[in-house]
Amino acid sequence: MRTRFAFRSSRPSRRFRSLWLAALGGMIAAGTSLTLPDLSKRAAAAEVHATFGLCPTGSGRNCVVDGDTFRLAGERIRVADIDAPETHPPRCAREARLGAAATHRLRALLNQGPVTLERADRDTDRYGRKLRIVTRNGKSLGDRLVEEGLARRWQGARRPWC
């Protein structure tokens, strides 16, 4: 299996920053007032190109763990805007079926092309996973899983699927 991985950050280049800082210094010296742009949201988003498999027992490089968790270059990513059924272990047969379907669907969605990872309200969860909103062309993949009945909106806590 061939893995492609490219990470493009929307952070400005060093040359751009140097030019911007020089311009800013000139404006300050001239007494010009300005409002600084909020780059934090842009800097927290990155476009990702990768091919995903299924994670063997939760480990792997570019793979899907379950319907709301995947690994990218070995880093654990939690899809922050949804709650998907558990697969490790499921608590009932219904949760097992839904969890397997959500896992395979997330893998298919991730493999359809580049996605953008946007930082959620917090950087990580209590398990150390990166919390990210995963989008393609401005549409959340989490929303897609919710629309298909394979996940539900994240409301701050897990709720039972059984």
Side-chain angles (χ1 to χ4, degrees), residues 7-13 16-17 20 35-47 116-120 132:
F7 181 82
R8 286 192 323 214
S9 176
S10 56
R11 293 184 136 183
S13 69
F16 173 81
R17 284 191 307 256
W20 190 83
T35 303
L36 296 176
D38 179 15
L39 297 177
S40 60
K41 182 77 171 169
R42 287 192 356 219
E47 187 174 275
T116 301
L117 303 179
E118 300 172 19
R119 186 174 174 202
R132 299 295 182 262

Side-chain angles (χ1 to χ4, degrees), residues 9-117:
S9 176
S10 56
R11 293 184 136 183
S13 69
R14 280 191 175 143
R15 182 174 178 224
F16 173 81
R17 284 191 307 256
S18 296
L19 291 172
W20 190 83
L21 288 172
L24 177 62
M27 293 172 76
I28 291 171
T32 307
S33 66
L34 80 143
T35 303
L36 296 176
D38 179 15
L39 297 177
S40 60
K41 182 77 171 169
R42 287 192 356 219
E47 187 174 275
V48 173
H49 306 261
T51 302
F52 293 86
L54 295 176
C55 293
T57 63
S59 64
R61 187 149 176 80
N62 294 333
C63 57
V64 176
V65 176
D66 60 23
D68 58 21
T69 306
F70 62 95
R71 287 181 170 271
L72 176 63
E75 181 88 43
R76 294 179 307 154
I77 310 288
R78 167 77 160 72
V79 181
D81 56 347
I82 63 169
D83 176 33
E86 290 301 318
T87 59
H88 307 308
R91 291 168 186 85
C92 64
R94 177 177 182 267
E95 185 172 45
R97 282 191 309 277
L98 279 173
T103 301
H104 289 282
R105 184 62 177 139
L106 178 59
R107 178 180 178 229
L109 290 170
L110 289 170
N111 283 329
Q112 286 178 357
V115 295
T116 301
L117 303 179

